[in-house]
């Protein structure tokens, strides 16, 4: 299972010079940006579905393309690629997104330990053509 960090690393985003106006530890701009939030949340939802539904998988190339685009957006907010990596690699940020994604999925009928509920939620996301759904496919 690829993590968001692995996607960024695989995309070759780990090593660039620091350009940012923001400090390495102040992620408030990234945290408050609606695009960053919605796309990272969508990726978190897709990962949870992928982890728990053997019938659906992640579209890894699409995920890489989205990662490139989101990294470019984060750089436009004043962060370097290194700072973006620190943000997505942050255990507290990963925990924060999981804490948002799990109740969101529960509100859509997902029950922990019940694979079919994750599959149903994933298929609904695909049908809705949501961001999360765009990252999933039927195996």
């Amino acid at each position: 299972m690829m993590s968001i960090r692995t996607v960024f690393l695989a995309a070759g985003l780990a090593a660039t010079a620091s350009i940012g106006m923001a400090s390495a530890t102040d992620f408030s701009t990234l945290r408050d940006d609606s695009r960053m939030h919605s796309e990272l949340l969508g990726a978190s939802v897709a990962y949870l579905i992928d982890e728990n539904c053997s019938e659906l998988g992640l579209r890894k190339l699409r995920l890489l393309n989205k990662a490139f685009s989101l990294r470019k957006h984060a750089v436009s907010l004043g962060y370097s690629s290194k700072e973006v990596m620190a943000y997505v690699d942050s255990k507290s940020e990963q925990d924060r997104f999981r804490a948002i994604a799990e109740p969101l999925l529960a509100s859509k009928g997902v029950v922990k330990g019940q694979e079919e509920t994750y599959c149903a939620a994933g298929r609904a996301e695909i049908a809705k053509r949501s961001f999360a759904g765009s990252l999933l496919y039927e195996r």
Side-chain angles (χ1 to χ4, degrees), residues 61-103:
L61 288 178
R62 182 168 291 162
L63 188 59
L64 288 173
N65 285 331
K66 299 288 186 180
F68 275 128
S69 178
L70 196 57
R71 178 202 142 288
K72 184 177 178 181
H73 174 70
V75 168
S76 79
L77 296 175
Y79 290 88
S80 69
S81 292
K82 187 175 181 179
E83 290 169 324
V84 175
M85 289 302 302
Y87 177 68
V88 298
D89 196 34
S90 164
K91 176 79 169 113
S92 64
E93 288 303 308
Q94 291 173 6
D95 291 346
R96 186 175 75 84
F97 276 104
R98 184 174 282 271
I100 299 168
E102 286 176 341

Side-chain angles (χ1 to χ4, degrees), residues 2-24:
M2 290 189 340
S3 69
I4 292 173
R5 175 170 169 59
T6 303
V7 171
F8 277 95
L9 285 172
L13 304 175
T16 61
S18 179
I19 317 167
M21 299 181 309
S23 75

